[in-house]
Amino acid sequence: MARQRRTRSTDALSQKTVVFDFGGVISAAHDPVPAIHAETGGDLEEVRAAFWGERLAYDTGDLTLEEYWGRVCAAAGVEDPSADELAHLQDVDNRYWLEIHPESRSLIHDLSRNGVRLVLLSNASVAFGEAVRRAEWFEAFSFAIISGEEGVVKPDLRIFEVLLETLSHETGGVERPASTIFFDDVEENVEAARRLGIDAHRWPRNGDGAADNGWEIARAHLAGRGIPLD
């Protein structure tokens, strides 16, 4: 499985881990449908319905890249798209999501600079998991748990169990959920993580114009837990 754990030096923070969701937390925004529609044409709302309606199956790994984007194309009235056209739509999707919010990038940089273990936990396709690991900022992360690779999506408890099991290999073989600090923009995911004892908090979705900014909430909580951010 392509979690790609990386060995990091041990220090006073070696038993603490900060885990981020991706969409709406690290990414700058959360609606790639207009960008996809610009490529496919057709009725915007039909494309939107297919994009989000089939997304869960794609992020669980039940649909392949070809099947998922083929259904989006069908909703747009595009018949028999080529393999290159389907791959192009995935690339457009990747580029949209990989636009990182500047404040999220700054927080990741500050945590990494202070030697804090970082992990990504995302409901995302196998194809996106491959793209995110090629991103230059991913060097700050120890590994990623991608739902499409695991065959299970948040808020299913199993994906959080996978996270804790993987972390235990880096922290002496003992699961320490209370030392795992998790930020997600979906309250249901936060509540699921808390059921396993994870220190989970909601990050108001980037790009939604929320009164409270996720990065400010995260910085305040991390500082309260003794995580260095200077």
Side-chain angles (χ1 to χ4, degrees), residues 130-187:
E130 294 170 352
V132 81
R133 292 186 179 97
R134 295 192 295 267
E136 46 82 20
W137 53 266
F138 186 72
E139 180 63 28
F141 285 72
S142 293
F143 61 89
I145 301 292
I146 302 296
S147 65
E149 298 170 354
E150 305 299 336
V152 61
V153 296
K154 296 174 291 183
D156 192 302
L157 292 183
R158 178 56 191 154
I159 198 165
F160 294 103
E161 290 169 347
V162 169
L163 168 68
L164 294 175
E165 289 165 5
T166 307
L167 279 172
S168 72
H169 293 294
E170 297 198 348
T171 56
V174 178
E175 292 184 3
R176 296 180 173 89
S179 295
T180 301
I181 307 167
F182 173 57
F183 298 100
D184 197 293
D185 63 318
V186 177
E187 185 63 34

Side-chain angles (χ1 to χ4, degrees), residues 6-14 115 117:
R6 297 173 183 172
T7 302
R8 299 179 70 90
S9 60
T10 59
D11 54 30
L13 295 172
S14 64
R117 182 189 295 105

Side-chain angles (χ1 to χ4, degrees), residues 194-208:
R194 286 174 177 169
R195 286 202 291 274
L196 292 179
I198 294 171
D199 183 10
H201 302 269
R202 183 172 177 271
W203 176 302
R205 181 174 291 169
N206 293 341
D208 272 6

Side-chain angles (χ1 to χ4, degrees), residues 31-41 44 47 51 55 68-69 72-73 76 88-94 96:
D31 185 15
V33 173
I36 297 300
H37 178 252
E39 302 293 329
T40 63
L44 173 60
V47 171
F51 182 95
R55 195 72 178 200
Y68 174 73
W69 291 112
V72 173
C73 285
H88 175 67
L89 289 175
Q90 180 65 52
D91 185 57
V92 172
D93 192 60
N94 290 344
Y96 177 91

Side-chain angles (χ1 to χ4, degrees), residues 52-64 68 71 148 153:
W52 290 117
E54 304 287 353
R55 195 72 178 200
L56 180 62
Y58 191 34
D59 289 348
T60 311
D62 293 336
L63 292 179
T64 65
Y68 174 73
R71 294 184 186 187
V153 296

Side-chain angles (χ1 to χ4, degrees), residues 114-126:
N114 281 284
V116 179
R117 182 189 295 105
L118 301 178
V119 172
L120 185 68
L121 174 59
S122 180
N123 283 354
S125 66
V126 171

